[in-house]
């Protein structure tokens, strides 16, 4: 089975997708570190509220602009990037990214400020962004267009439904093209009458409650925003196209339990349905079987006792190993379901490690499995 390096060879964007809590952030950072060590200038992007990525890369904090990981920290952990290899990281600020998008499409500085300073915009800009998922893709598009990096690795936002990421550009386009928005931008007929004498009393009451002129702010916002419609539509379509570009590759990240596997299978089917480029799956925290047969507790206890000479401890260790094998068999069966569904596409298994990954050394440990083939992974995991 292929290594992650062979899967993403020649790609410029790698999108690590999947449900929350399956190790997407760790996997994204490890891939970026591994490719930087191989001579590429790599940037990993995340929306991780716990800021684990910054901690693992030795950075005090991450912002909406890329920060370079200190090469000295890499060398201290035995990572000596080949010529040209650099590792950069950033944590997306969805609001700041959307503000920048408004500034880019505004007709002039006055129109930009009218939107950014508008109280309506400040309250609903999160919704207008079409969710964090769209802003993540927007920032990815921006960095790719700049051409500063050889490879971009995106840790997709935590979400109940990983498909939110695929649908985000379309949701923004639908919002912009929707009838409700068009009524506000170009009020005619009934909408025009509603916006005039029929709302005077109600708006006066609202003004006393909220403390500002709601109609004036709405009018100003939608008037200023109307000049940006074409730019937003074009940008959303281009962002959507980048998802399906040959230079973009999706990796589905999951755990070995039944539900994460089912979600990975479903997400893979949607990628295929949407004609996205699927690279493979990474299954984290896998228990590898230590043998081919179910261990017998009594026989195993006797064998252990011959080494430890402690009957009670030997029996407890034997039971623990037997319970481990039950979980390993479960993982094996679940992963086989995933492998069969993917019809030969790569499935990379990362073993359950003794400690959580929280630094560069931990990422290097993950890479010992990501960047070797399956036969070597099995040998390493059970040795």
């Amino acid at each position: 089975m292929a290594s992650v390096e062979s899967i993403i060879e020649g790609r410029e964007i790698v999108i690590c997708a999947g449900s929350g809590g399956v190790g997407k952030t760790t996997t994204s950072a490890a891939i970026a570190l591994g490719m930087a060590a191989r001579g590429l200038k790599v940037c990993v992007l995340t929306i991780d509220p716990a800021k684990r990525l910054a901690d693992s890369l030795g950075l005090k904090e991450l912002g909406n602009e890329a920060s370079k990981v200190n090469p000295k920290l890499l060398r201290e952990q035995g990572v000596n990037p080949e010529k040209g290899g650099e590792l950069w990281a950033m944590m997306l600020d969805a609001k700041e990214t959307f503000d920048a998008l408004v500034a880019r499409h505004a007709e002039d500085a006055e129109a930009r400020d009218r939107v950014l300073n508008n109280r309506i915009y400040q309250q609903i800009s999160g919704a207008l962004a079409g969710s964090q998922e769209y802003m993540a893709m927007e920032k990815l598009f921006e960095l790719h267009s700049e051409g500063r990096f050889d490879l971009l690795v995106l840790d997709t936002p935590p979400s109940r439904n990983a498909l939110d990421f695929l649908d985000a550009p379309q949701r923004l386009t639908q919002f912009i093209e929707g009838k409700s928005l068009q009524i506000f931008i170009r009020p005619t007929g009934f909408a025009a009458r509603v916006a005039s004498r029929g709302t005077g009393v109600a708006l006066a009451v609202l003004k006393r409650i909220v403390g500002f002129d709601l109609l004036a702010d709405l009018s100003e916002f939608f008037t200023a925003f109307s000049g940006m419609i074409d730019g937003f539509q074009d940008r959303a379509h281009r962002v959507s196209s980048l998802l399906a570009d040959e230079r973009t590759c999706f990796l589905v990240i999951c755990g070995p339990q039944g539900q994460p596997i089912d979600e990975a299978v479903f997400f893979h089917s949607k990628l295929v349905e949407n004609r996205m480029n699927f690279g493979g799956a990474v299954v984290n925290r896998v228990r590898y079987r230590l043998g081919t047969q179910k261990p017998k507790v009594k026989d195993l206890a006797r064998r252990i006792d011959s080494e430890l000479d402690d009957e009670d401890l030997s029996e407890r260790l034997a039971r623990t190993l037997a319970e481990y094998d039950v979980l390993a068999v479960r993982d094996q069966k679940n992963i086989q379901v995933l492998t069969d569904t993917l019809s030969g596409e790569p499935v990379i298994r990362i073993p359950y490690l003794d400690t959580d990954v929280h630094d560069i050394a931990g990422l290097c440990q993950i890479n010992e499995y990501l960047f070797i083939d399956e036969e070597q992974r099995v040998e390493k995991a059970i040795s």
Side-chain angles (χ1 to χ4, degrees), residues 101-129:
L101 196 58
V102 167
R104 182 179 299 113
H105 293 300
E107 296 177 346
D108 50 40
E110 181 182 355
R112 175 200 64 202
D113 293 341
R114 286 172 64 193
V115 172
L116 295 181
N117 296 328
N118 184 274
R119 282 169 291 203
I120 299 299
Y121 170 79
Q122 291 169 0
Q123 291 296 318
I124 66 173
S125 56
L128 286 175

Side-chain angles (χ1 to χ4, degrees), residues 163-182:
L163 293 178
D164 288 346
F165 185 79
L166 293 179
D167 297 337
Q170 182 180 3
R171 289 202 307 274
L172 179 64
T173 303
Q174 288 174 340
F175 172 80
I176 291 173
E177 296 174 349
K179 291 182 179 179
S180 58
L181 182 60
Q182 295 301 322

Side-chain angles (χ1 to χ4, degrees), residues 260-373:
I261 291 290
D262 291 342
E263 291 175 350
V265 168
F266 178 66
F267 190 73
H268 167 260
S269 69
K270 289 302 178 181
L271 286 173
V272 174
E273 182 182 315
N274 286 277
R275 299 183 180 180
M276 304 296 181
N277 299 302
F278 176 74
V282 176
V283 188
N284 285 316
R285 307 185 185 102
V286 176
R287 295 170 178 85
Y288 280 75
R289 294 197 74 186
L290 303 178
T292 58
Q293 296 181 340
K294 181 179 179 180
K296 297 179 179 180
V297 176
K298 290 184 177 179
D299 293 343
L300 187 57
R302 281 195 295 268
R303 290 168 57 189
I304 296 174
D305 191 46
S306 66
E307 297 290 334
L308 297 181
D309 194 24
D310 185 327
E311 185 175 346
D312 180 61
L313 178 59
S314 297
E315 184 173 345
R316 282 188 284 132
L317 284 174
R319 290 188 181 280
T320 299
L321 288 171
E323 291 169 359
Y324 173 88
D325 188 68
V326 171
L327 294 174
V329 170
R330 180 209 65 180
D331 289 355
Q332 187 179 65
K333 289 180 178 179
N334 289 337
I335 294 171
Q336 190 60 52
V337 171
L338 177 63
T339 302
D340 292 343
T341 303
L342 300 188
S343 303
E345 297 283 8
V347 176
I348 297 176
R349 298 183 294 165
I350 308 298
Y352 203 112
L353 303 178
D354 294 333
T355 59
D356 290 335
V357 175
H358 59 272
D359 55 18
I360 293 174
L363 296 178
C364 290
Q365 191 176 7
I366 294 291
N367 279 346
E368 291 178 3
Y369 295 92
L370 282 173
F371 287 85
I372 56 178
D373 60 36

Side-chain angles (χ1 to χ4, degrees), residues 13 17 22 30 37 42 76 93 114 142 163 180 195-196 199 208-209 219 221 233 235 238 256 279 300 371:
I13 295 174
V22 294
V42 187
E76 288 175 352
D93 183 320
R114 286 172 64 193
E142 178 186 323
L163 293 178
S180 58
S196 59
T199 58
R208 288 197 297 270
I209 295 173
S219 175
F221 168 69
Q233 288 175 324
R235 186 79 166 194
R238 291 169 65 192
L300 187 57
F371 287 85

